[in-house]
Amino acid sequence: MKINYQFDQQFINEFNHRLNENGPFASFEMFQMAYDTAKNLHVPDFEGLQSPQHLPQMEFLEHQLDTAKQVVEKMNGRAILADEVGLGKTIEAGLILKEYMIRGLAKKILILVPASLVNQWVKELNEKFYIPAVSQRKLYVWEQCDVVVSSIDTAKRSPHREIVLDQHYDFLIIDEAHKLKNHKTKNYQFVNSLKKTYCLLLTATPVQNQLSDIFNLVTILKPGFLGSYEEFTKTFGNKRTALKEDEKLKQLIQDVMVRNRREDTGIEWTKRNVETVWINFSDEEQKVYDQLDHELFSQDPFTSITLKREFCSSREALYLSLKKMFEEKAEKYKDEEWNQEIIQKIEQLPHHSKAQKVVDIIQDSTEKFIIFTEYRATQYYLQWYLQQHGISSVPFRGGFKRSKKEWMTQLFQNHAQVLVATEAGGEGINLQFCHNMIHYDLPWNPMRLEQRIGRVHRFGQKENVNIYYLAIKNTIDEHLVSLLYEKINLFERVIGDLDIILQQLNIPSLENEIKEIYAESETPGEARIKLENLTAAFQDAAQDEVDQDGTTSHS
Amino acid sequence: MEQQAIHNYLVNFFTLNKCEIKENESGKLTVTLNEDLDRLLMNRPFYWEYIKKIGQEGTPATLTFLSSPDRREEKGEWIHFGSPRLHQIFQSQLQQGRFTMQYEQTNRSSLQPWLVSNIRISYKGRQKKDEILSIGLQLINGTMVFNFMELIQDLSFSSVIPDYCYTISPIIRITSGYKRIENYIQQYIDSQKHEWAEDAFNHFNKEKEILNHFYESYLAASDEEDKEELTTRYQNELDHLQKRLMPEIQVETINGGLFYLSEETKNQVIKGLH
C-alpha cells in the first residue's frame, strides 16, 4: 500500500529569506498565540461531527445528525439524500458540507439548484451555516469565488459551461436531482462531466417514473455501482416497485442513499383538524354575486372570475377592483348604467357574511387565531370589523421589513388575539405559539396554502392544529372546496408530494389550470365536470405515489 | 472552544494588536480597532481609500463582542466558535505569528540557538484527522525536544539580545536542521500502524474494480469515436476516486522560529523529555 506523502517546503524558504532580511518577526506572544490558534482549529479524530459545534445557534434533529454522520463516515462523502419532504434535506446537506470544510477537505464548492431556489440556498448557507456562498451573477464568480450557487441552466450554457467544466470541485451539491433522471438529457451529461470529489444529490423522489431513474442517479455518484445499464435492467427489470420489493437492490441502494421517513424520525407530529365552514350569502349579496356574470364580462371570463373571487372575500376587495376597472377603461363603460348601479348596490350591503362567521368562531374561544386572506382590502376590512366586536388584531404582510414582522409577531403573542395576514411570508418568523388558523378565502395555489399552514404546523408545535376553511355556498368557492380540496385532502397533504403529482400530470401551475377551466367552460356544469376530471387524475397519481412508496404522506 | 476561552482569546488578540479595550466584563468585550484591524475585519476598503484621499486619519470602528449566552440580547455581536468573525481573526493570527526570532531574557549567559517548528500532520483517508507536534532542535548538537512550546511557555523572551549575554553560532545550518525534523517526522510516520490508510486503500480498490468493470463493458460495445470519450471519462472518474479515497499524509509547518536559550533552560527542556 502506498500513502501519498507531502512535506511543507514553503515554510523553510520563507524563513531563510526573513533571516537574511532580519525580519519581520512576530513577538513571542504573537507566535505563541498562533500556535494556540492552530491547536484550537485542529481536528484530532477521524470520527464524529465537528460541524454542530460550529453552529451553536442551530438545533439539529436526531435524524439530520445521523444522516450527516452516515454520509461522512460510511459513504465517504458521496450520497443521495432522499428524505421525505419537510425533514430537512437542505439542513443535512449544509451539515455535511460544513463538516468537509472544517476538516479542510472542501474548498472549491459548486451547488446547482433550480433557478427559483438560488437565493434561498445562498441565504441559508450564509445565515444558518456561515458558509460564504454567492450566487453566480458575473462570469468571474466561477473562478474567483469558492462557494458558488447557480442553476444548471446557467452553468451548462456557453460561456459558463467551458469555465465550469475546467474547474475541479471538491464538493458538488445538486438539489432537485430527480430532474437528472434521464441520462440522455443535456443536463445529465453536463453534470456527469463535472470534475468533483465529494458529491450530494438531493431529491424527495429518487424513483419518479421508472427504475432506471435510480440507476442514472447512482451512476453520477458511483459509476458501475449498480453494474452496467444492461446488467442492471436484466437483474432488476424496470419496474419502479423493485426498489421497494427487491431485497438485493434495497441492500445495494442503502449504501449510497439515505431516506428518512416522517414516521421513523421519532418526532411526534401533532394532528391537523380540518373543518370546512359553509356560509350562505344573504339575498342581497347573492344578487350582487349573480350580477357579476353580467354580459359586459362575457368576452373576458378571467375578469368575471377574479371579481367573483374577490366578492367571496369582501365587498371592499370587489369594490376597489371594480372602481379601478371603470376608471381605467372609462371609454368602454361610460355609457353603461349598470356600473353605477352595481357600485351603489355594493355600497349598500351590510357586513359580509363571512366576516360575521369569523367573529362567531373567534368569540367562541379564548385562544389566538391567525386569519389569512388573499386581499389587502379584506385585511383592512377584517381588522375594522373585528375591532367593532371588541376583538384586538394586528396586521401582517410579506412586504413588512423584518423588524416590523418581528414587532407584529411580538404584539400578537403578548397583546392581540388575532393576526390578520395577507401572505405566509416571513421565513424564520415563529408563530408556533398559535395553533388556530382561519383561511378566510381560498388560495388557488395549493403551494401557498401549504406555506401558510407550515408557519404554524411544524417542528415545535405542541398542540393539534385547527384549520378552518371558510367557503360560500353556490359560488365559485363551492366547486373548489368540494372537489379539489376535499377529494384530494389538500389540507392534510404534504406540499412535496403535491409538487411531484403536479409534475407527473404535467401541470406547472394548478392555479392557472383552474382559472382556465372556468374561463373556457360555457356553463357551470361544464366547469364542474372538467374539475372532476382533474380531481380524478390527481387521485390516480396520488394513489400511485402511495403504492410505490409504501408510505402515505398524511401526517 | 469554550465561550470563556473565546473571550480570553479576543482580549489577548486585541491587546497584542494594541487596540484600546473599552469594556472588559464577563461575557462582554468592547474594543476600538486600529486601522489595520479595521481593514481586516470591517470590509470597507472604499471608506479607507476615500479618507486617505482627502488626507485624513480615519476613525476605526468600535466593536462589542458578546460571548456569554446570558448576554445575547444585549447590543453587540454574538461570538462563538463558528462565527465567521472569529475565523477571520484566527486566520489573521496564524498569518501574523508565522515567523519569529527570540532571545531568552536572562543574566550573563551564553545563548544557544534552537530551531523551533510547530507542525501539523494531516492524515487523510476516508476521513481526515490532524495531529500537532511542537519540535525544538538544538542547532549545536542536534538534540530534539518535543512539546517544545509547552516547555518554554512561561519563559520571557525579547527580540533583542539581553545585556551581558552572547550567542553561540549554529553548527547545524537552519536548512539542514529543518531537514532533520523532516526526517524525524518521516520516521515517526513510518513507525505507526496506519489502519485508516489500509481501510481507505481497500475502499479505493473496491471502487476502482467496479469502475473498471463498468467502463470495460461499455468500451467493448463502442466504436472508435465513443472509445476516446469513454476513456477520458474513465480517467476523470479514476482521478476523482483517487482524490477521494487514496490515503494521504500532509505535513505542514504552522509556524516556526529561531530561539536563543540559556544553558540552564536547555537542561530543563531536555529533562522535560523524560
Side-chain angles (χ1 to χ4, degrees), chain A residues 431-448:
Chain A
L431 296 172
Q432 282 138 272
F433 55 83
C434 175
H435 55 95
N436 297 300
M437 183 181 277
I438 297 174
H439 297 279
Y440 188 79
D441 36 43
L442 298 166
W444 285 16
N445 180 347
M447 305 297 161
R448 188 132 87 228

Side-chain angles (χ1 to χ4, degrees), chain A residues 305-318 320-321 354 371-382 396-397 420-423 440-444 448 452 476-477 511 515:
Chain A
I305 292 169
T306 306
L307 293 173
K308 282 178 182 167
R309 285 181 66 191
E310 284 167 349
F311 190 52
C312 285
S313 177
S314 70
R315 56 174 201 156
E316 280 71 10
L318 171 66
L320 280 181
S321 199
K354 253 186 189 174
I371 304 177
F372 279 109
T373 171
E374 298 269 280
Y375 305 101
R376 188 87 72 90
T378 306
Q379 186 187 29
Y380 288 129
Y381 167 67
L382 272 175
F396 195 91
R397 279 198 286 280
V420 187
T422 50
E423 271 174 69
Y440 188 79
D441 36 43
L442 298 166
W444 285 16
R448 188 132 87 228
R452 285 174 172 186
I476 203 158
D477 278 2
E511 181 165 2
K515 264 193 202 157

Side-chain angles (χ1 to χ4, degrees), chain A residues 4 26 37 39 43 76 103, chain B residues 9 100 126 128 130 150 249:
Chain A
N4 287 329
T37 305
K39 282 210 291 194
V43 181
N76 309 322
R103 288 178 183 258
Chain B
Y9 183 94
T100 194
R126 297 172 62 198
K128 187 177 167 199
D130 311 314
E150 282 73 15
I249 295 176

Side-chain angles (χ1 to χ4, degrees), chain B residues 137-164:
Chain B
L137 176 80
Q138 209 237 35
L139 293 172
I140 307 289
N141 62 9
T143 308
M144 215 180 268
V145 173
F146 303 93
N147 279 328
F148 201 77
M149 287 301 283
E150 282 73 15
L151 293 172
I152 63 167
Q153 64 183 353
D154 295 326
L155 302 178
S156 43
F157 291 95
S158 144
S159 56
V160 287
I161 185 165
D163 295 343
Y164 313 112

Side-chain angles (χ1 to χ4, degrees), chain B residues 72-94:
Chain B
R72 274 186 78 162
E73 301 305 315
E74 290 179 39
K75 211 167 171 269
E77 206 176 310
W78 166 240
I79 196 132
H80 55 79
F81 191 50
S83 308
R85 175 81 83 209
L86 188 61
H87 284 264
Q88 264 179 325
I89 290 173
F90 283 160
Q91 289 315 313
S92 147
Q93 189 55 43
L94 286 170

